[in-house]
Amino acid sequence: MDRVRERLAADGAPLRPNVIAEAIRAESGGLLGDTEVLSSLRELQTELVGAGVLQPLLCAAGTTDVLVTAPDAVWVDDGHGLRRAPVRFADEAAVRRLAQRLALAAGRRLDDAQPWVDGQLSGLGAAGAGGPFTVRLHAVLPPIAAGGTCLSLRVLRPATQGLDALLGSGTIDAEIAPLLRDIIGTRLAFVVSGGTGAGKTTLLAAMLGAVPAGERIVCVEDAAELSPRHPHLVNLVARAANVEGVGQVAVRDLVRQALRMRPDRIVVGEVRGAEVVDLLAALNTGHDGGAGTVHANNPAEVPARFEALAAPAGLDRDAVHSQLAAAIQVVLHMARDRSGRRRLGEVGLLRRTGNGRVGVLPCWRAGTGAGPGAGELSDLIAQRTGA
């Protein structure tokens, strides 16, 4: 089987069943019968096509993450927290081969000299009724990963659900839905915060789907995830450098391009770097109603998160808080409960405090209702509507 793999790699031909079968017969010297060839063919197809033995897990409806920490330790998250999957690799070498093959498919290098990789994969098949999907790949090889090859796959399905769908699934409480629609209707700028896999992109897409049809939305993303049901949507997707280190198109570059595309609303799918400077500048140039997502453990940490992202880009603390106070008004925080279910947990209002810094005033929390900032947020919405 190793010789078959080497032959297929050397030939570079498309991995069609007849090509694999011919390679098996050639390397076996004609000693295998039809049954043995068919068995070997199925084994190699599983290993060489798509994501191998992980493909069914990735394609299953609801899967967000597939993680491999050992040949017999495969984990899956389908929206209810991590659980162990009944999938096994033959050995550590099989995990390594899959990681290296996926890295190559993503245009990346993964070997002893470059023992980790971060990339994106497309064309791994259709996600059930959800259509095609993209996968964010991360892998680390031994000895950096002391326990063996560590493989992390994040499924990036197009976020198409609307607010009504999130209401029906319990992601949004019925009592807060009118406020969310008012935030969109009055063009308040907002960020959706939360941890990894909390559902930030899902909520953002649902909010954008409620934007009036006559407005033009320009979305900038690191990977194509946002697909709100809106008739006038423009998606700009960043591109990483190729194996030669050229051809990169950064999110920051695309934010600048978005300004020249006559947007009514500018959206950054995930603020994770120096593009925060350009986003804040854009939202301070008359582009009301912009939005984005940011990683944060709770709403109160959002200003500090913006500080940390803007500092490497040369924006000092005072400048960050000054621009943040003028650019963004609302924080929507997504969280996961103990059962692993995603839901909108908090709504906060960004405002300046006595020391000139920006703080987050709690306006609503799931389970407890309105907070001390609810009245102030209502007043802001009333000002925007002229009520």
Side-chain angles (χ1 to χ4, degrees), residues 7-385:
R7 173 184 285 265
L8 292 170
D11 290 346
L15 296 177
R16 292 190 295 267
N18 64 313
V19 174
I20 300 175
E22 288 173 5
I24 293 170
R25 290 191 184 280
E27 292 299 334
S28 69
L31 297 178
L32 294 182
D34 292 342
T35 302
E36 289 82 0
V37 170
L38 182 59
S39 176
S40 299
L41 172 63
R42 288 172 176 166
E43 179 181 340
L44 280 172
Q45 279 185 309
T46 298
E47 181 176 335
L48 299 176
V49 178
V53 296
L54 303 181
Q55 186 74 16
L57 296 178
L58 293 173
C59 289
T63 297
T64 59
D65 297 90
V66 175
L67 313 173
V68 182
T69 54
D72 61 346
V74 178
W75 301 82
V76 63
D77 187 345
D78 54 7
H80 301 284
L82 285 172
R83 59 178 176 80
R84 201 150 184 166
V87 174
R88 301 289 184 272
F89 287 84
D91 49 32
E92 160 63 21
V95 183
R96 183 185 180 105
R97 283 196 300 271
L98 176 60
Q100 291 181 311
R101 180 168 63 78
L102 294 178
L104 182 62
R108 297 289 183 271
R109 174 185 173 188
L110 182 63
D111 52 32
D112 291 337
Q114 177 59 52
W116 60 79
V117 67
D118 190 2
Q120 290 182 16
L121 299 157
S122 59
L124 288 183
F133 60 91
T134 300
V135 170
R136 182 176 295 156
L137 160 73
H138 186 271
V140 186
L141 297 180
I144 306 302
T149 301
C150 189
L151 183 61
S152 304
L153 301 174
R154 162 65 61 85
V155 181
L156 306 177
R157 290 188 175 87
T160 61
Q161 291 180 296
L163 288 176
D164 289 339
L166 298 189
L167 275 167
S169 66
T171 302
I172 296 174
D173 288 359
E175 65 176 302
I176 199 63
L179 177 60
L180 299 182
R181 297 186 190 279
D182 285 342
I183 290 170
I184 288 293
T186 56
R187 298 180 62 87
L188 294 179
F190 64 93
V191 291
V192 182
S193 63
T196 300
K200 300 185 297 295
T201 301
T202 300
L203 178 61
L204 176 57
M207 294 284 286
L208 296 179
V211 169
E215 296 185 21
R216 175 177 167 91
I217 305 172
V218 180
C219 292
V220 176
E221 297 182 85
D222 185 52
E225 291 184 82
L226 286 170
S227 187
R229 294 173 180 173
H230 191 277
H232 202 163
L233 175 75
V234 178
N235 287 101
L236 302 179
V237 182
R239 183 178 68 193
N242 60 21
V243 290
E244 285 82 24
V246 297
Q248 181 182 23
V249 179
V251 171
R252 188 171 191 181
D253 299 324
L254 296 180
V255 172
R256 294 170 182 167
Q257 299 308 310
L259 285 169
R260 297 168 173 82
M261 299 176 69
R262 200 273 180 200
D264 287 304
R265 299 185 191 239
I266 295 178
V267 177
V268 176
E270 183 174 340
V271 180
R272 61 169 66 184
E275 66 272 6
V276 67
V277 175
D278 299 284
L279 176 64
L280 290 175
L283 297 182
N284 276 301
T285 56
H287 293 89
D288 292 337
T293 72
V294 64
H295 281 271
N297 292 326
N298 57 66
E301 293 182 6
V302 169
R305 181 65 174 154
F306 272 84
E307 276 189 45
L309 293 173
L315 206 62
D316 64 37
R317 190 179 189 189
D318 289 338
V320 171
H321 282 265
S322 178
Q323 291 208 37
L324 185 58
I328 299 173
Q329 291 83 43
V330 178
V331 177
L332 308 176
H333 187 73
M334 292 291 292
R336 304 184 75 162
D337 58 25
R338 293 183 179 180
S339 67
R341 188 182 62 150
R342 304 173 181 88
R343 65 183 303 190
L344 176 61
E346 297 180 59
V347 176
L349 179 67
L350 286 171
R351 66 167 190 174
R352 283 189 182 273
T353 59
N355 60 7
R357 305 291 184 224
V358 173
V360 179
L361 185 63
C363 297
W364 176 87
R365 176 172 292 177
T368 60
E376 193 168 331
L377 179 55
S378 295
D379 290 343
L380 179 59
I381 290 173
Q383 291 173 12
R384 291 292 186 105
T385 59

